């Protein structure tokens, strides 16, 4: 629990600094609705996130509905996950591996990203580690206790799949891990090892079969909303970068000059993973007696930690890449979050596999040193995709006069062409309190959509600007036809643009009434 508490405390540092982005706006929109409206929404879009939205809806009803709240929830969940990672490492390789795995976990950039992200990825990691610990517990039990343990594993794994469909691939990876462990034990093991391994595989087969049968109709239902993943890239040369760098070891700063330092962890992390794998191979080729001592025995833990976590770390991503190559767009780097805890165990194993103490200290220090630039970068204002939303809202808040009657037209955004700048007000509502929405003509909650749509400026603005002293326009910096129509209409109605502030890819225009309409 100490490591878990420390991880949560570290994750909370600067948690409000990064600007919100469209995914977090979707969380805030969905969880800010009543239960009937949320149910309507899930029937048309975002059903894949329904379980997460329900959880956050319950939490925010108690602790308040805000960007800070949904991010703090993620930070707390990542802290709990870190505590479970310690238990996982200890179960697989003893106390040293447990502590080392917990420390490595917080150094993985994808983990820190998830801890400050108002989305489901912290819960996904929690479900991944929790179900894995229950799998290990079930594999060691016999008779009636084993049936209860397998039932509990199945329940948590099924809830994980309901939380995120792709966690079904972790269940597949669990089977691969058990099979790899059983084969490794069987080559040199006693009959006791063979008595345990088939029973564990049989238990997993029953649970996986039940989850698979339940997942099929769920997956078919989600296919009707597959347009949501149209943004996922097909497999290309960039996929190699996504797997090697972005999946676990990148910050949001891309390969720009100031982001070079964030790449330093990539060769260090993969070198440690390689050391862990080579150490396991060496122990089985050169030290058969020691390898035999780590075989599966009744009541013992499972063989070597590397053998067990390798499939959990990499198989889900490889299966998603394969599906994407087959035309079912499924793989994005942040989907690898589910495997981050197991990557942390591999990193810790690599450090501890080094023979001399000074080498272990050096490797640990190098991992920390190369992780720090990412951890800092992940708490910078523009670290997320839509990094100008917070300063856009701040510009409005600083320049507005609460004594005046004001309205706002939310124009289009370069980075969210399927929505408009209303997303900024969803993430930062205080900046727009009391303002009249001049453009929205649809009721998104009633229609089951995430966002509303704008109407025609010439038709709406004459009536909606009546009695207003000031109008704000939020749009994209390059300009578009809607922005030009808004400007032309406001000019005809007696408004004059008195200020323009460019914020990243966005623009904030302030229009003041100078003549009566």
């Amino acid at each position: 629990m100490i490591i878990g508490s420390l991880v949560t405390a570290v994750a909370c540092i600067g948690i409000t600094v990064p600007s919100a982005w469209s995914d977090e706006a979707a969380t805030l929109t969905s969880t800010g609705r009543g239960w009937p409206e949320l149910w309507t929404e899930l029937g048309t879009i975002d059903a894949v996130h329904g379980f997460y939205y329900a959880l956050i809806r319950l939490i925010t009803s108690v602790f308040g509905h805000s960007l800070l709240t949904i991010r703090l929830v993620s930070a707390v969940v990542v802290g709990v996950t870190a505590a479970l990672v310690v238990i996982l490492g200890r179960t697989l390789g003893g106390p040293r591996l447990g502590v080392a795995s917990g420390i490595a976990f917080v150094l993985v950039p994808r983990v820190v990203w998830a801890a400050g992200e108002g989305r489901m990825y912290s819960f996904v990691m929690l479900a991944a580690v929790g179900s894995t610990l229950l799998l290990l517990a079930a594999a060691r039990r016999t008779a009636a206790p084993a049936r209860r343990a397998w039932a509990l594993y199945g329940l948590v794994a099924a809830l994980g799949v309901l939380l995120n469909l792709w966690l079904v691939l972790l269940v597949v990876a669990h089977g691969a891990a058990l099979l790899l462990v059983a084969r490794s034990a069987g080559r040199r093991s006693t009959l006791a090892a063979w008595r345990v391994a088939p029973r564990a595989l049989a238990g997993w087969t029953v649970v996986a079969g039940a989850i698979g049968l339940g997942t099929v109709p769920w997956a078919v239902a989600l296919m009707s909303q597959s347009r949501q993943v149209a943004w996922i890239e097909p497999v290309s040369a960039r996929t190699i970068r996504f797997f090697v760098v972005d999946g676990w070891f990148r910050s949001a700063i891309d390969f720009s000059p100031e982001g070079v330092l964030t790449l330093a962890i990539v060769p260090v992390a993969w070198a440690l993973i390689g050391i862990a794998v080579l150490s396991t191979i060496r122990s089985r080729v050169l030290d058969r007696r020691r390898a035999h001592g780590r075989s599966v025995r009744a009541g013992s833990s499972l063989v070597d930690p590397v053998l067990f976590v390798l499939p959990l770390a990499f198989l889900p991503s490889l299966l998603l890449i394969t599906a994407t190559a087959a035309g079912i767009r499924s793989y994005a780097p942040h989907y690898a979050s589910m495997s981050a805890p197991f990557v942390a165990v591999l990193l810790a194993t690599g450090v501890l596999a080094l023979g001399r103490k000074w080498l272990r200290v050096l490797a640990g220090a190098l991992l920390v040193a190369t992780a720090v630039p990412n951890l800092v970068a992940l708490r910078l204002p523009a670290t997320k995709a839509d990094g100008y939303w917070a300063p856009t809202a701040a510009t409005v808040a600083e320049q507005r006069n609460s004594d005046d009657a004001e309205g706002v037209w939310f124009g289009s955004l370069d980075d969210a062409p399927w929505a408009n700048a209303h997303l900024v007000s969803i993430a930062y509502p205080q900046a727009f309190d009391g303002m009249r929405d001049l453009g929205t003509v649809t009721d998104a909650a009633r229609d089951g959509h995430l966002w509303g749509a704008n109407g025609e400026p010439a038709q709406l603005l004459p009536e909606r600007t009546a009695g207003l002293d000031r109008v704000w326009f939020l749009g994209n910096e390059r300009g578009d036809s809607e922005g030009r129509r808004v400007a032309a209409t406001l000019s005809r109605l007696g408004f004059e643009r008195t200020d323009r502030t460019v914020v990243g890819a966005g623009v904030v225009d302030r229009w003041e009434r100078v003549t009566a309409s």
Side-chain angles (χ1 to χ4, degrees):
M1 289 303 297
I2 294 177
I3 287 182
S5 300
L6 288 174
V7 168
T8 295
V10 171
C12 288
I13 297 174
I15 200 170
T16 61
V17 174
S19 180
W21 69 307
S22 54
D23 274 16
E24 291 180 310
T27 299
L28 289 167
T29 293
S30 301
T31 58
R33 292 173 174 172
W35 291 108
E37 290 79 12
L38 177 58
W39 182 256
T40 300
E41 174 195 320
L42 299 180
T44 59
I45 193 171
D46 261 4
V48 69
H49 303 308
F51 188 27
Y52 169 73
Y53 287 161
L55 290 174
I56 297 300
R57 174 74 175 76
L58 291 171
I59 293 170
T60 55
S61 67
V62 176
F63 297 100
H65 186 260
S66 68
L67 180 64
L68 174 60
T69 301
I70 63 173
R71 286 183 177 178
L72 284 177
V73 169
S74 293
V76 171
V77 171
V78 165
V80 174
T81 305
L84 294 185
V85 169
V86 173
I87 297 173
L88 176 63
R90 187 174 64 216
T91 302
L92 291 172
R96 282 204 312 169
L97 182 59
V99 173
S101 297
I103 295 172
F105 180 68
V106 75
L107 297 176
V108 176
R110 183 59 66 187
V111 171
V112 179
W113 173 85
E117 182 74 6
R119 292 297 270 177
M120 68 172 64
Y121 301 104
S122 58
F123 286 90
V124 168
M125 291 189 293
L126 177 63
V129 181
S131 62
T132 301
L133 285 171
L134 290 172
L135 172 73
L136 289 169
R140 296 198 302 269
R141 280 173 168 74
T142 59
R147 288 192 292 272
R148 290 193 293 270
W150 283 113
L152 185 57
Y153 162 68
L155 174 63
V156 172
L159 289 175
V161 174
L162 187 60
L163 177 69
N164 185 301
L165 178 63
W166 296 140
L167 276 171
V168 73
L169 301 179
L170 186 68
V171 176
V172 175
H174 282 156
L178 289 177
L179 183 60
L180 183 61
V181 163
R183 285 174 60 98
S184 173
R187 290 193 182 102
R188 303 169 309 281
S189 74
T190 63
L191 291 176
W194 275 104
R195 284 198 297 270
V196 174
R199 184 172 62 244
L201 287 170
W204 171 85
T205 300
V206 172
V207 172
I211 291 175
L213 289 174
T215 299
V216 170
W218 175 234
V220 170
L222 294 179
M223 288 296 290
S224 64
Q225 299 180 8
S226 60
R227 65 186 182 278
Q228 288 182 250
V229 294
W231 55 269
I232 293 180
E233 297 184 19
V235 171
S236 66
R238 278 167 56 88
T239 307
I240 299 174
R241 168 194 142 181
F242 290 162
F243 182 82
V244 174
V245 178
D246 295 5
W248 302 286
F249 306 124
R250 76 174 293 241
S251 71
I253 290 185
D254 214 333
F255 300 119
S256 53
E258 64 271 23
V260 171
L261 288 177
T262 65
L263 299 177
I265 192 175
V266 177
V268 173
W270 283 107
L272 289 174
I273 291 172
I275 290 170
V277 173
L278 290 175
S279 174
T280 295
I281 294 173
R282 179 177 179 274
S283 71
R284 273 149 179 72
V285 173
L286 301 179
D287 193 359
R288 290 181 177 274
R289 178 175 298 178
R290 181 182 175 194
H292 176 74
R294 286 199 302 268
S295 296
V296 178
R297 298 190 302 272
S300 73
S301 61
L302 293 173
V303 199
D304 189 288
V306 174
L307 285 177
F308 185 75
V309 301
L310 263 179
L312 310 184
F314 302 124
L315 186 57
S317 290
L318 293 175
L319 290 174
L320 289 175
I321 291 171
T322 301
T324 304
I328 305 172
R329 296 195 178 188
S330 309
Y331 177 73
H334 53 283
Y335 291 177
S337 301
M338 72 177 89
S339 296
F342 313 113
V343 170
V345 175
L346 288 174
L347 293 174
T349 306
V351 171
L352 296 179
L354 296 169
R356 298 181 181 274
K357 182 177 179 180
W358 70 268
L359 282 175
R360 294 195 295 271
V361 171
L362 179 62
L366 191 60
L367 181 61
V368 172
T370 55
V372 166
N374 277 280
L375 308 188
V376 172
L378 283 164
R379 290 297 182 262
L380 295 178
T383 193
K384 298 180 187 290
D386 310 314
Y388 60 91
W389 289 12
T392 295
T395 297
V396 175
E398 290 167 3
Q399 296 186 20
R400 69 175 298 191
N401 186 339
S402 58
D403 294 331
D404 292 339
E406 297 178 312
V408 57
W409 184 286
F410 298 108
S412 62
L413 297 173
D414 256 353
D415 43 18
W418 31 263
N420 57 42
H422 185 57
L423 275 63
V424 179
S425 72
I426 292 171
Y428 302 99
Q430 296 86 352
F432 304 91
D433 279 348
M435 284 193 187
R436 189 183 302 171
D437 185 341
L438 303 177
T440 303
V441 294
T442 61
D443 187 333
R446 181 199 63 201
D447 298 337
H449 298 147
L450 283 172
W451 331 111
N454 285 343
E456 177 56 42
Q459 297 174 2
L460 298 175
L461 287 175
E463 178 181 351
R464 294 191 177 186
T465 58
L468 295 184
D469 304 302
R470 182 178 297 108
V471 169
W472 298 88
F473 173 79
L474 275 61
N476 61 73
E477 190 271 335
R478 61 179 176 80
D480 57 22
S481 60
E482 181 188 43
R484 290 189 289 272
R485 295 197 306 277
V486 169
T489 304
L490 287 174
S491 295
R492 288 197 304 270
L493 293 173
F495 287 87
E496 178 181 304
R497 189 170 69 189
T498 57
D499 186 76
R500 161 165 283 205
T501 304
V502 177
V503 187
V507 64
V508 179
D509 288 342
R510 185 179 68 211
W511 292 79
E512 308 276 357
R513 189 184 291 279
V514 292
T515 61
S517 58

